[in-house]
Amino acid sequence: MTSWDDRVAAFWTTADDADPVVVDRMRALVDERPADDPAALFEWASVLDFVGREEEAVAGYEAALAAGLEGERMPQAVVQLASSLRNIGRAEEGAALLRGLGDETVAGAAVSAFLALCLRDAGHPDEALAVALRALAPTLPLYRRSILAYADELGGQQGA
């Protein structure tokens, strides 16, 4: 029998937010786990987010993190929670979560991308641009130093 994690991964490879039973399909997977299972709480929040039910997703992400979500799902939950907070008008909270995530994350540059979006929506466009430029700089074969200097001029958090 295929593991629960493998079946969840398979779900996400075929998930379609226009499919009227997509939430029901995830509900069936989530119901296989205990009610307080952090991974199941995360996957439930993710599907709610996926179909545009961000307010409900926020509570689910928070529950998953409070239940001790670990591994690769933890930074994903923080990024997705921050994004959902931004979408419901709580961008400052999203930015604070992303700043606290740290450098070690499977989410990679997505942390900086969502931080820049949160900062922009929270009324900090220069800091948002600085974060985006710092994320872009390592990919530049030329002008890296110049771009980092411009980011420093704009201000914001170093290395975010």
Side-chain angles (χ1 to χ4, degrees):
M1 177 154 182
T2 310
S3 76
W4 185 81
D5 285 323
D6 289 340
R7 287 183 287 124
V8 167
F11 167 89
W12 286 115
T13 62
T14 62
D16 177 357
D17 61 349
D19 181 354
V21 298
V22 71
V23 173
D24 295 335
R25 287 180 47 227
M26 179 54 77
R27 178 87 260 163
L29 286 166
V30 167
D31 284 346
E32 295 177 18
R33 306 290 280 230
D36 61 349
D37 180 79
L41 292 168
F42 166 73
E43 297 299 343
W44 181 244
S46 295
V47 80
L48 293 174
D49 199 356
F50 184 65
V51 299
R53 293 164 54 181
E54 287 94 348
E55 297 246 359
E56 294 172 78
V58 165
Y61 292 134
E62 289 172 340
L65 292 165
L69 188 64
E70 298 177 325
E72 291 186 356
R73 284 184 173 107
M74 190 283 293
Q76 292 172 349
V78 173
V79 168
Q80 291 170 212
L81 172 56
S83 176
S84 292
L85 287 168
R86 174 186 164 262
N87 288 337
I88 64 170
R90 295 165 52 189
E92 287 281 359
E93 291 175 62
L97 283 171
L98 292 168
R99 283 187 175 120
L101 192 55
D103 292 333
E104 50 74 39
T105 175
V106 298
V111 175
S112 293
F114 284 101
L115 177 57
L117 289 167
C118 285
L119 290 168
R120 182 219 169 258
D121 285 7
H124 308 288
D126 285 353
E127 187 178 356
L129 181 56
V131 167
L133 290 174
R134 285 190 190 100
L136 177 63
T139 70
L140 302 174
L142 302 171
Y143 311 111
R144 180 176 305 150
R145 203 171 89 189
S146 295
I147 291 299
L148 288 172
Y150 288 130
D152 289 346
E153 284 178 23
L154 289 165
Q157 184 181 14
Q158 289 284 354

